[in-house]
Amino acid sequence: MTTPAAPPRTSATGTPHTRREGRAKVTGEARYTGDIPFAELAHGWLVTSTVARGRIRSVDTDTVLAMPGVLAVLHPGNALRLTPGAGLMGPDANLQLLQDDRVPHVGWPVALVVAETQEQARAGADALVITYDEESYDTAFRADHPGLRPTAPSPLAMPDVDQGDPDAELAASAVVVDREYTTPEEFHNAMEPHAAMARWENGRLEVVDSNQGSYAVAQVLAALFSLDADTVRVRSEHVGGGFGSKGLRLPHTVLAVMATTILHRPVRVVLTRRQMFSLVGHRPATAQRVRLGADADGRLRVVEHETASPTSTVHEFAEQSTRHSRTLYAADAFRLRTRVVPLDVPTPGFMRAPGWAPGSFAVESAMDELAAEVGVDPIALRLRNEPETGPVSGLPFSSRNLVACLEEGARRFGWADRDPRPGVRRDGRWLLGTGVAASAHSAGVGASTAAITAEADGTYTVRVTAADIGTGARTALGQIAADALEVSPESVRIRIADSDFGLAWLAGGSMGTASWAWAINEAAVALRKKLADLPGDMADLPPEGVTAHADTTELLAAREQRESHGYGAQFAEVAVDPASGEVRVRRMLGIFAVGRVVNPLTARNQFIGGMTWGLSMALHEEGVRDDASGGLANGDLAGYHVAANADVPLIEADWIDEHDTYNPSGIKGLGEIGIVGGAAAVANAVWHATGVRHRHLPISLERVLSGGRR
């Protein structure tokens, strides 16, 4: 086939492109799950438990069923039976909703009221009387809790590490830093609440959902409701943020499917903001002990990192905070431990940079303390401990440019002019300080499929079950496809977020774009080969066009093993008022190495968003659990503080050019690395300003005034 001659074209990747759906979002044309109208739509309102542990004794449905518009009250006595063992990454009992009378924590789903309107459903839920047999509960996490135990084996668990002779290396160390650090419970607050609509159409279950991976959700629903996988279709066209919370936890989706199956009409369930604090996962609190043994010049002999976090009695989730200590620095010996404490609390889950974010606070703070003990510059200390291969894995790196990030960041931040002595710089009533921390995040790839159709009008349609959760994935995939097809981005149509398009990795783990791009590139190669073998030109294609498919499963399995991560260096300058305890971040700089950057515009947005979250983690975010009720005392946006515009200073993010061929697309993923190290950089800057070390987050007014105590 011959194609018409085209003018010279520059590469689409690596150049800024505004988001394809941007105009639709700002004009209201783009509709989110909770906004889409459906004929005969009924509305479900979730009822959650008010006790921290116990059994449901009775559910008084008669009064509610007599209320205007109420269609049904689903509860453990009449709910559909679900298949045990379903889950996205192994069995997850959080999905076994309304299956028995057990109440494992405050906020656990105990009923669903379905009515003609959302207002009627809410009124019915408010009127529903449920009585409980309460039991004693334990919601207080501490590192020495008697229930502390090793994590159970799972696909997500990081194994404990005993490498070298940690005890001998500690004994031989000239300097030992042995410190404990804590981080509090932290919560997702995506702008769009979790929502799902379910209905049966022509013998198929159709779900319109807000999620991070429609194919994965379809597979889970099929298993949970004992359906053939090809009878379930899940779509998620527009998603207003996810951060990990819309990947694993599906209470609204499961109950919408249950209700539509019983009532034989479409049902939509939307979670409230308060329900999101207990039902969609959160970052658990951590208690971490870091022990670093080093020679007199700061060369590490041993790294010990022990971390503990609470989990629920429903399903174990362990925050893998030793990820950071496995990756960043060379040492002769390692001892790494991950422990959990089952409590009567909601199950934690993935939250932006799970494990990496809290782990980096502890390890990068400890490295700063070691630098002060040894009397060496914090950047020089990190450069001195640069590994040649994976510190724990021993695998070669796909590429590693942490040194370049640190050196370029230091140059641009003006680090050379820094007086290393703490508490000496002032600006009126403010003490000034600067801090640095290193960043890393895994750069994995998941098996995915993609299809590309060459249309008779000269355009191309790409179909891939990707998810755009606000990151600009549509735009990046359009750029990638355009380059792979050697056409302009304007001639490429991107269709995503439909489980019927087939297997695709979800938008999580900073793996989405890298995974989908590989599949798109393979499909493009296959399509160009097909077209080359056909006579005529594009106008001669059949009405349905010509389609090529790709599946990267076997390609991924055949890859040699390497350690693949993105890296970065974060710098912060703070001002601290010692009289009031106020901490103000004046500027932040992040320099990153994340392989090929597809779209500089959206990439910079992702970096800055992550760095802002690191600032928020350092100074604001803290879930406070009420011992009297077992629930959160601040489970809403009035009490749970996040960084606002007034808290965000000048934040600059940039990257170095990096060529990494471990993934043929050259992409490493960058959605989460921006938060890693941010909190530590701020905390290290506060120490430099005041001479007081803060090992417990957030760095609140009270902690500054109390000298860093918990």
Side-chain angles (χ1 to χ4, degrees), residues 417-660:
D417 299 329
R418 178 184 191 257
D419 187 329
R421 297 172 299 165
V424 298
R425 287 181 61 205
R426 276 191 174 271
D427 179 9
R429 65 187 175 94
W430 299 97
L431 293 169
L432 304 182
T434 52
V436 65
S439 302
H441 196 281
S442 52
V445 179
S448 298
T449 60
I452 305 179
T453 300
E455 311 286 2
D457 63 0
T459 63
Y460 298 83
T461 302
V462 177
R463 294 174 178 85
V464 58
T465 315
D468 193 331
I469 58 175
T471 57
R474 279 184 188 82
T475 309
L477 296 180
Q479 294 171 255
I480 290 163
D483 280 352
L485 295 166
E486 296 188 355
V487 298
S488 69
E490 292 73 23
S491 65
V492 176
R493 186 181 301 105
I494 299 291
R495 294 188 60 193
I496 65 169
D498 186 332
S499 64
D500 277 359
F501 296 160
L503 168 71
W505 187 257
L506 49 72
S510 294
M511 296 168 62
T513 303
S515 303
W516 309 322
W518 193 348
I520 288 172
N521 281 329
E522 293 296 322
V525 170
L527 179 62
R528 293 179 66 186
K529 186 177 297 185
K530 271 191 174 184
L531 294 177
D533 293 338
L534 293 176
D537 55 27
M538 295 286 281
D540 297 320
L541 292 178
E544 69 276 11
V546 174
T547 300
H549 298 82
D551 185 336
T552 62
T553 303
E554 293 184 3
L555 294 171
L556 185 59
R559 285 202 311 177
E560 63 176 332
Q561 282 196 306
R562 293 193 180 187
E563 187 159 311
S564 183
H565 294 86
Y567 298 95
Q570 299 222 27
F571 297 79
E573 180 178 6
V574 304
V576 182
D577 183 346
S580 68
E582 183 179 1
V583 178
R584 285 285 180 182
V585 176
R586 290 195 168 184
R587 62 186 175 116
M588 293 183 76
L589 169 69
I591 302 293
F592 302 94
V594 289
R596 181 164 65 121
V597 172
V598 177
N599 188 342
L601 181 63
T602 54
R604 185 168 280 107
N605 290 344
Q606 287 294 296
F607 287 137
I608 290 175
M611 293 171 68
T612 301
W613 205 332
L615 181 159
S616 190
M617 179 180 177
L619 301 182
H620 299 285
E621 298 192 41
E622 181 178 25
V624 179
R625 202 156 287 279
D626 178 15
D627 292 338
S629 68
L632 282 175
N634 60 337
D636 54 44
L637 290 182
Y640 183 81
H641 294 168
V642 297
N645 282 348
D647 301 301
V648 179
L650 171 66
I651 297 182
E652 295 180 89
D654 210 340
W655 49 90
I656 63 172
D657 291 332
E658 182 177 66
H659 184 65
D660 189 304

Side-chain angles (χ1 to χ4, degrees), residues 88-216:
L88 187 61
M89 297 180 181
D92 187 350
N94 287 287
L95 300 176
Q96 296 295 313
L97 298 173
L98 308 185
Q99 298 301 287
D100 57 42
D101 61 358
R102 180 189 175 206
V103 175
H105 60 76
V106 171
W108 176 254
V110 292
L112 182 76
V113 176
V114 186
E116 295 286 356
T117 70
Q118 192 174 60
E119 293 77 13
Q120 290 170 334
R122 180 175 185 174
D126 290 343
L128 187 65
V129 176
I130 300 178
T131 56
Y132 303 92
D133 291 321
E134 295 189 52
E135 301 172 3
S136 60
Y137 58 85
D138 182 5
T139 61
F141 168 67
R142 62 182 194 275
D144 60 350
H145 194 286
L148 185 73
R149 61 168 174 77
T151 58
S154 81
L156 302 174
M158 304 293 292
D160 289 347
V161 172
D162 286 283
Q163 191 167 295
D165 191 337
D167 294 326
E169 296 296 343
L170 274 172
S173 295
V175 181
V176 174
V177 168
D178 189 348
R179 301 289 187 266
E180 294 183 356
Y181 305 88
T182 66
T183 61
E185 287 183 282
E186 298 166 3
F187 293 85
H188 313 83
N189 273 288
M191 187 175 294
E192 178 207 16
H194 294 60
M197 186 287 308
R199 65 180 177 181
W200 286 92
E201 288 285 313
N202 301 318
R204 294 191 78 194
L205 174 65
E206 180 186 10
V207 176
V208 177
D209 191 23
S210 178
N211 65 53
Q212 293 178 226
S214 293
Y215 181 83

Side-chain angles (χ1 to χ4, degrees), residues 221-289:
L221 292 176
L224 201 60
F225 288 90
S226 300
L227 302 170
D228 291 336
D230 60 3
T231 65
V232 181
R233 183 188 187 191
V234 177
R235 293 181 292 129
S236 187
E237 183 70 16
H238 295 289
V239 181
F243 314 115
S245 71
K246 293 178 180 176
L248 284 175
R249 299 292 149 73
L250 313 167
H252 54 299
T253 314
V254 172
L255 293 176
V257 173
M258 187 181 292
T260 193
T261 304
I262 291 172
L263 294 174
H264 306 291
R265 60 184 290 183
V267 177
R268 181 158 59 212
V269 179
V270 181
L271 298 187
T272 67
R273 181 66 62 181
R274 182 170 286 275
Q275 288 169 351
M276 288 168 58
F277 276 83
S278 64
L279 292 178
V280 298
H282 61 279
R283 199 191 308 280
T286 70
Q288 303 178 61
R289 181 186 181 188

